[in-house]
Amino acid sequence: MYPPTSSVQIEPSFWEVSQLLHSDQGNLVPIYATLPGDLLTPTAAYLKITNGCRVGESFLLESVLGAAGVARYSFVGADPIKVLRTGNREEAQGDPLAHLEFLLSEYRYVEVPGHKLPSFTGGAIGYIGYDCIRHFEPRTQTKPLRDVLKIPEAVLMICDTIIIFDHVFQTVKVVSHVHLSAYASSSKESEIRKSYSQACAKITNIVSLLLSNDPIPSPPQEKIVPSDNRGESNVGKSGYCRFVTELKKRITQGDIIQAVPSQRLKRKTDLHPFNAYRQLRSFNPSPYMFYVDCGRDLRLVGASPECLVKVEDGLVECHAIAGTIRRGKDAAEDVELSKKLAESTKDKAEHVMLVDLARNDVNRVCDPATVKVDFLMQVQQFSHVIHLTSQVSGRLREGQSRFDAFRSIFPAGTVSGAPKIRAMQLIGELEGETRGVYAGAVGNFNFSRNSLDTCIAIRTMVFLNGTVYFQAGGGIVYDSVEEEEFEETINKLMANVNTIIQAEQYQASLQG
């Protein structure tokens, strides 16, 4: 007798899954139902499966690639089977990747022949904070740092059931997994049957929510009183200018070439974080857009332009973005400004240095013969700015894993400096505080053991207990001007601050 699948057509069949699991290729097989995607959006799906942001740990990952439009896939998920939190106040302490690798080692992913699915069908989703670098490279921390936000160093949700939007073929796949546990108490066949039935039930439950004609639940939005409050800095203008002055001295002494100090703003708000995300995705569409509910009233809202590290079938990729200019008023001005950026001696020099850093990071874990710069200083248009971008790639050496690749590249040179270790030491000594999510990574580690995709946690808002935190930095070189560098960070921060102000005004107008 086949396990029940209700009226939903689920693929692959029980018998296909059973054959794969009996072949001992692995113990985890994806199954899925396919729905038309022309009338359903990722934001609506998220609100439906979370009952309007009321269920706790969950995520929404979207992407817009430069000026080209929406990327192929968006991912939505909730109700993780496990949540890993690491940090001084957590049960799990130390290197978060060691804990994650242990958790994921239970799963041996099996690809299903003839069924086209993206590489990410489930796994770990969340963030790894900047301060985790002390576990990867202890020399980076020379003194204790104040922990202002008191959030976990890392939060990673293990999700076995997710929704995948394919924007090319306008389809939605609801994916779950048949897992044959190593601790199964009954026969292999009965365990497969039991797990298949459970996965089918998860899929049909989500499908029923997605197809429901009930009104889409909205986030619980408190009464909003709009404010033009621009936030309070943790260091102020004088403090940030002091950072610049001290780092310029270190550069003149030959201690470093560049460093990236930062400042953090905090602002009280009654705005629900998901309403901030909705405003952000329309105001600043980016290659990595995310809304991550980490539980414990901690939520991340971000629109990052920059990949930290991506691993796909052993191919490691990382991006470098350095050099920025505003978008033009029309196509002709875009061309003019792009030319100006491409000819900027300062921007090109900084960019080449960061590409060299990326090559060194990739080279440490990849076969040197395969390491290459895929493209160099490509002028790329984003929603509001134009960047110089490069990509470095290489093939993992034997004995090196995706976790090794992440450790080698983390954090990006664009948020630390060069040489990396010394720059991070000086940043810690000057800032005196943990950075938390900022300059860390947000993304996913797939059930498939050779894949991950993470972005740099910049242009990211951290919502915690009625306060939203923004953080931004800038690259300091020998001829940096203190006031100009301070203004650059303020300009970066104001993009997200204005998002909050506009979202508050919009929500207030709805409330009347």
Side-chain angles (χ1 to χ4, degrees):
M1 181 178 176
Y2 290 81
T5 58
S6 185
S7 59
V8 178
Q9 183 178 348
I10 294 179
E11 303 175 87
S13 69
F14 169 74
W15 301 116
E16 289 178 271
V17 171
S18 181
Q19 281 188 319
L20 288 170
L21 291 174
H22 277 293
S23 69
D24 293 327
Q25 298 177 52
N27 67 355
L28 189 76
V29 178
I31 64 173
Y32 61 92
T34 304
L35 306 173
D38 55 335
L39 297 178
L40 187 63
T41 67
T43 50
Y46 179 83
L47 290 171
K48 285 188 172 193
I49 70 167
T50 62
N51 189 26
C53 304
R54 291 172 174 84
V55 302
E57 293 91 350
S58 51
F59 69 90
L60 167 56
L61 308 178
E62 300 184 274
S63 178
V64 172
L65 298 178
V70 178
R72 180 167 182 179
Y73 297 111
S74 296
F75 304 93
V76 182
D79 193 22
I81 54 178
K82 297 174 186 174
V83 179
L84 170 65
R85 293 183 176 89
T86 69
N88 293 334
R89 299 173 185 81
E90 307 299 331
E91 183 178 346
Q93 300 188 9
D95 182 350
L97 295 184
H99 294 287
L100 180 61
E101 187 170 11
F102 174 77
L103 286 177
L104 292 181
S105 66
E106 178 183 346
Y107 308 101
R108 292 180 292 117
Y109 188 82
V110 182
E111 290 188 6
V112 184
H115 293 264
K116 293 184 178 180
L117 289 168
S119 60
F120 178 57
T121 62
I125 304 95
Y127 76 85
I128 295 175
Y130 172 90
D131 308 289
C132 290
I133 185 58
R134 68 189 179 95
H135 305 301
F136 309 154
E137 179 49 78
R139 289 181 295 164
T140 55
Q141 184 169 324
T142 59
K143 70 173 188 178
L145 303 175
R146 296 186 301 278
D147 186 359
V148 176
L149 271 62
K150 296 180 173 57
I151 62 175
E153 289 183 340
V155 176
L156 293 154
M157 301 171 275
I158 312 298
C159 295
D160 72 341
T161 305
I162 68 171
I163 304 166
I164 303 172
F165 284 77
D166 186 329
H167 300 292
V168 171
F169 290 99
Q170 288 292 295
T171 59
V172 177
K173 284 185 167 59
V174 181
V175 183
S176 193
H177 294 80
V178 180
H179 179 217
L180 187 61
S181 172
Y183 308 102
S185 57
S186 54
S187 70
K188 190 171 188 177
E189 185 70 12
S190 62
E191 283 297 319
I192 295 172
R193 189 176 298 277
K194 177 183 176 183
S195 182
Y196 190 91
S197 294
Q198 291 171 340
C200 286
K202 291 180 181 180
I203 291 171
T204 53
N205 179 57
I206 289 178
V207 168
S208 67
L209 289 172
L210 296 180
L211 297 183
S212 170
N213 292 321
D214 293 340
I216 298 172
S218 297
Q221 179 59 66
E222 296 180 20
K223 182 73 174 177
I224 284 281
V225 178
S227 167
D228 60 0
N229 176 13
R230 302 280 165 172
E232 176 187 347
S233 173
N234 64 331
V235 295
K237 182 176 181 179
S238 61
Y240 194 82
C241 288
R242 180 177 62 83
F243 293 170
V244 177
T245 301
E246 289 298 320
L247 290 170
K248 285 170 63 178
K249 289 179 184 176
R250 295 291 188 164
I251 293 167
T252 303
Q253 293 167 2
D255 207 7
I256 54 171
I257 302 170
Q258 183 201 43
V260 187
S262 69
Q263 64 169 315
R264 179 192 297 127
L265 300 184
K266 68 176 181 179
R267 182 186 187 278
K268 289 288 185 181
T269 183
D270 291 322
L271 183 70
H272 192 283
F274 194 78
N275 289 330
Y277 176 75
R278 293 183 65 193
Q279 181 72 27
L280 182 67
R281 71 191 294 275
S282 61
F283 176 73
N284 188 23
S286 300
Y288 289 88
M289 294 184 293
F290 52 86
Y291 178 83
V292 184
D293 188 331
C294 302
R296 301 181 183 175
D297 204 30
L298 171 63
R299 299 175 179 95
L300 312 183
V301 173
S304 174
E306 192 167 357
C307 169
L308 173 66
V309 56
K310 182 177 182 178
V311 181
E312 185 84 39
D313 294 327
L315 178 67
V316 178
E317 295 177 355
C318 73
H319 293 190
I321 294 181
T324 306
I325 199 166
R326 65 174 176 84
R327 287 292 301 270
K329 297 174 184 176
D330 52 35
E333 191 179 13
D334 271 344
V335 171
E336 182 182 333
L337 291 170
S338 296
K339 185 173 184 291
K340 180 180 178 180
L341 178 62
E343 294 174 351
S344 167
T345 301
K346 180 180 182 293
D347 286 316
K348 288 194 293 184
E350 181 183 351
H351 191 96
V352 168
M353 179 196 66
L354 292 169
V355 170
D356 283 340
L357 264 180
R359 288 175 61 194
N360 180 64
D361 291 342
V362 172
N363 200 60
R364 288 196 293 172
V365 292
C366 291
D367 178 353
T370 68
V371 176
K372 60 180 180 177
V373 179
D374 299 307
F375 54 83
L376 179 65
M377 288 191 286
Q378 188 176 89
V379 176
Q380 189 172 358
Q381 295 178 359
F382 292 81
S383 58
H384 289 73
V385 296
I386 303 170
H387 286 306
L388 290 180
T389 67
S390 296
Q391 178 175 294
V392 177
S393 68
R395 286 275 170 192
L396 280 174
R397 292 199 306 271
E398 186 175 351
Q400 297 293 309
S401 71
R402 57 179 170 170
F403 299 105
D404 297 316
F406 185 95
R407 290 187 184 97
S408 181
I409 293 169
F410 184 90
T414 50
V415 291
S416 54
K420 244 189 197 184
I421 292 176
R422 186 60 181 137
M424 285 188 281
Q425 289 173 341
L426 293 173
I427 288 169
E429 291 168 8
L430 287 172
E431 293 184 355
E433 298 179 358
T434 57
R435 284 183 163 185
V437 177
Y438 169 72
V442 174
N444 61 71
F445 293 76
N446 307 358
F447 279 134
S448 174
R449 293 189 176 186
N450 56 4
S451 299
L452 66 86
D453 191 4
T454 58
C455 70
I456 306 172
I458 53 177
R459 303 182 192 176
T460 296
M461 296 178 268
V462 176
F463 286 80
L464 182 67
N465 301 326
T467 299
V468 58
Y469 297 89
F470 319 84
Q471 196 156 346
I476 307 305
V477 292
Y478 82 99
D479 58 352
S480 291
V481 178
E482 280 78 353
E483 289 202 359
E484 291 179 3
E485 296 296 342
F486 172 77
E487 289 301 324
E488 179 182 331
T489 63
I490 291 297
N491 290 337
K492 290 177 180 178
L493 290 163
M494 284 305 107
N496 276 350
V497 171
N498 288 333
T499 296
I500 296 296
I501 292 172
Q502 292 166 11
E504 286 180 341
Q505 292 171 345
Y506 176 71
Q507 293 299 319
S509 72
L510 296 180
Q511 295 171 347

